[in-house]
Amino acid sequence: MKIIILDTPEFKIDGGAYFGVVPKIIWQKKYPCDENNMCAASCRSILVDDGKRVILFDTGIGEEPEEKTKDLYFTDYSQNLEINLKKQGYLPEQITDVVLTHLHFDHCGGNTKIDKNTRKKLIAFPNAEFYVSKDQFENANNPNYRERSSYMPENWKIIQEAGKLNIIEKEFFLTNEIELKLFYGHTAGLMLPIIRTKDKTIFFTGDLIPARASVPLAWVSAYDLFPLTSIEEKQKILNQAADENWLLVFQHDYYCEACYVEKTERGVRAKEAIKFLEI
């Protein structure tokens, strides 16, 4: 089994939004910010090649728009999912499955692309089956006031119309090695993978634990709809990760790709940062 980390366009998040009720005097010691309190954030995807299927988890923000718009996230498009796929020896046509953790714009914007000749929107991974949870799909199509601006239906409508969007109603195993778990603190039906290899278990933390600094239970993003639910979900999954020595891979941490965690007198805490390629 091959597991590859892929970078997609990066952006910036307000530190107060990133770390919620944690005061800046505390969080800035763990995660740097600029003079405007903006924190650099990665937007990683994971590719898993088990020899039969080539599975991609999330597709990032997507292509740089041709028409410049006011970008409150200061997006840096120097990282490109398709280019980074090709650097690893894969073409978009080889992707068999795309698992969407949820439908916020920074996780599914790369589902589609613009044909340079016809200027029409196309499915970026034409041979793939796409997966999203039922709760998230319903939430995205009937968004609440807080999340409304995070959903862009053009990122999934043409996939749905093509009959390629699979709506998942409960937790399940996509393959024998990949379990998809549902969470409800950040947004309804956040779907995150636990990947088990012969010698390692990897948890792609998504927006449940966006950064290494977010491991302590109280460090919950202001973007989470139900912070107390997030705390309960984090506590349960982090205890299991510590007990079973899982490797956590962070989707949004600009400075840390991965780490292990351990139980301490103060609760579960992150160990040192690790580069995924070094494992």
Side-chain angles (χ1 to χ4, degrees):
M1 178 187 289
K2 274 188 190 177
I3 302 175
I4 299 169
I5 300 293
L6 296 164
D7 288 314
T8 74
E10 299 161 348
F11 59 110
K12 291 186 178 182
I13 305 175
D14 177 82
Y18 209 176
F19 301 113
V21 298
V22 179
K24 181 183 177 183
I25 196 170
I26 296 175
W27 65 251
Q28 69 178 348
K29 296 176 182 178
K30 302 288 186 181
Y31 204 102
C33 65
D34 63 19
E35 66 277 5
N36 295 314
N37 291 336
M38 300 298 286
C39 298
S42 294
C43 207
R44 299 184 180 96
S45 297
I46 286 186
L47 181 140
V48 177
D49 182 349
D50 68 2
K52 296 179 181 179
R53 297 162 74 171
V54 182
I55 304 164
L56 183 65
F57 296 90
D58 278 352
T59 62
I61 291 175
E63 297 178 310
E64 183 171 10
E66 292 182 334
E67 295 182 7
K68 298 296 181 183
T69 58
K70 189 174 183 181
D71 184 357
L72 299 177
Y73 295 95
F74 304 95
T75 307
D76 177 358
Y77 290 93
S78 58
Q79 295 287 352
N80 179 279
L81 178 57
E82 183 172 346
I83 291 173
N84 288 335
L85 267 173
K86 290 177 179 177
K87 287 180 179 177
Q88 295 293 337
Y90 293 91
L91 296 174
E93 292 78 11
Q94 292 176 271
I95 304 300
T96 60
D97 306 87
V98 177
V99 176
L100 302 170
T101 62
H102 58 305
L103 296 174
H104 287 171
F105 72 93
D106 56 318
H107 295 262
C108 66
N111 288 354
T112 63
K113 64 179 183 180
I114 299 296
D115 184 287
K116 291 182 172 55
N117 296 317
T118 65
R119 315 314 305 163
K120 291 183 178 179
K121 190 178 284 288
L122 304 174
I123 299 174
F125 306 98
N127 298 320
E129 291 291 322
F130 290 73
Y131 304 82
V132 70
S133 78
K134 180 181 179 181
D135 291 324
Q136 177 59 192
F137 180 72
E138 292 178 349
N139 195 63
N141 282 291
N142 299 280
N144 59 71
Y145 183 81
R146 275 199 54 191
E147 286 186 285
R148 189 168 57 193
S149 63
S150 294
Y151 291 123
M152 300 177 181
E154 62 268 25
N155 289 333
W156 67 83
K157 284 295 186 183
I158 66 169
I159 298 166
Q160 181 185 9
E161 291 166 0
K164 290 179 170 290
L165 188 61
N166 297 275
I167 309 301
I168 306 305
E169 296 192 16
K170 59 184 179 180
E171 298 177 343
F172 78 112
F173 281 82
L174 183 64
T175 71
N176 290 335
E177 297 83 15
I178 301 174
E179 181 181 5
L180 297 178
K181 298 278 290 181
L182 296 176
F183 300 88
Y184 290 85
H186 175 64
T187 184
L190 177 70
M191 189 163 63
L192 301 175
I194 300 170
I195 305 163
R196 294 178 172 89
T197 70
K198 290 181 180 179
D199 59 356
K200 200 173 300 298
T201 298
I202 297 167
F203 177 48
F204 190 39
T205 61
D207 280 358
L208 176 65
I209 311 172
R212 179 171 172 265
S214 308
V215 168
L217 296 183
W219 292 55
V220 174
S221 167
Y223 292 113
D224 287 12
L225 292 181
F226 304 101
L228 293 180
T229 301
S230 291
I231 288 173
E232 293 173 1
E233 291 173 339
K234 282 173 62 177
Q235 186 173 39
K236 183 177 180 180
I237 203 79
L238 284 169
N239 279 327
Q240 186 175 0
D243 288 340
E244 299 178 12
N245 199 36
W246 293 1
L247 179 69
L248 274 55
V249 173
F250 301 107
Q251 190 160 24
H252 289 311
D253 195 323
Y254 188 80
Y255 306 97
C256 173
E257 287 184 347
C259 79
Y260 292 97
V261 293
E262 62 183 347
K263 289 183 175 178
T264 73
E265 292 181 355
R266 300 177 62 201
V268 176
R269 291 293 184 267
K271 292 185 178 182
E272 67 276 4
I274 298 171
K275 292 289 289 182
F276 194 78
L277 283 176
E278 294 174 359
I279 303 170

